[in-house]
C-alpha cells in the first residue's frame, strides 16, 4: 500500500469514527442495550475499538509487523 492510499484510508476511517462518536449518545446506548440484538451490536463496536487501539499501540512500539500481527491475534482471542 502506498503512502497516499494509506493516508486516504486513515482519513476515511477517522471521519467515520468521529461521526459514530457524535451519533452514539448515552440515549442511543441505553436504548440499544434494552435488546439482545442491540447489546450484541454494541459489543461488536467495543471489540472493534479495542482491536484498533491495540493495533495502534503494537504498531507504534514494535518494528516487526509479523510479530505485531501475532500479538494482535492473541489479543483478539482473549476474552475481556
Amino acid at each position: 500500500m502506498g503512502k497516499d492510499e494509506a493516508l486516504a484510508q486513515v482519513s476515511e476511517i477517522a471521519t467515520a469514527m468521529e461521526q459514530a462518536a457524535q451519533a452514539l449518545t448515552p440515549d442511543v446506548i441505553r436504548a440499544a442495550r434494552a435488546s439482545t440484538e442491540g447489546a450484541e451490536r454494541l459489543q461488536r463496536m467495543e471489540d472493534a475499538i479495542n482491536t484498533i487501539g491495540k493495533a495502534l499501540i503494537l504498531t507504534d512500539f514494535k518494528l516487526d509487523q509479523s510479530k505485531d500481527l501475532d500479538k494482535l491475534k492473541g489479543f483478539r482471542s482473549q476474552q475481556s
Side-chain angles (χ1 to χ4, degrees):
M1 173 178 287
K3 179 182 175 183
D4 291 338
E5 185 181 0
L7 289 174
Q9 188 170 1
V10 167
S11 179
E12 290 174 21
I13 293 168
T15 298
M17 291 179 73
E18 289 167 347
Q19 290 171 349
Q22 290 176 356
L24 195 62
T25 64
D27 288 338
V28 170
I29 294 169
R30 287 185 194 103
R33 287 199 195 282
S35 73
T36 301
E37 185 178 3
E40 289 171 356
R41 290 180 181 180
L42 289 170
Q43 185 61 51
R44 285 179 51 208
M45 291 172 57
E46 185 177 342
D47 292 345
I49 291 167
N50 287 333
T51 299
I52 290 167
K54 290 169 185 172
L56 290 169
I57 290 168
L58 288 171
T59 302
D60 284 344
F61 291 110
K62 303 292 180 194
L63 299 176
D64 185 343
Q65 289 184 355
S66 63
K67 288 183 182 176
D68 289 350
L69 291 176
D70 289 341
K71 289 183 182 180
L72 181 57
K73 287 177 187 175
F75 277 117
R76 284 183 173 168
S77 68
Q78 293 177 2
Q79 293 186 354
S80 301

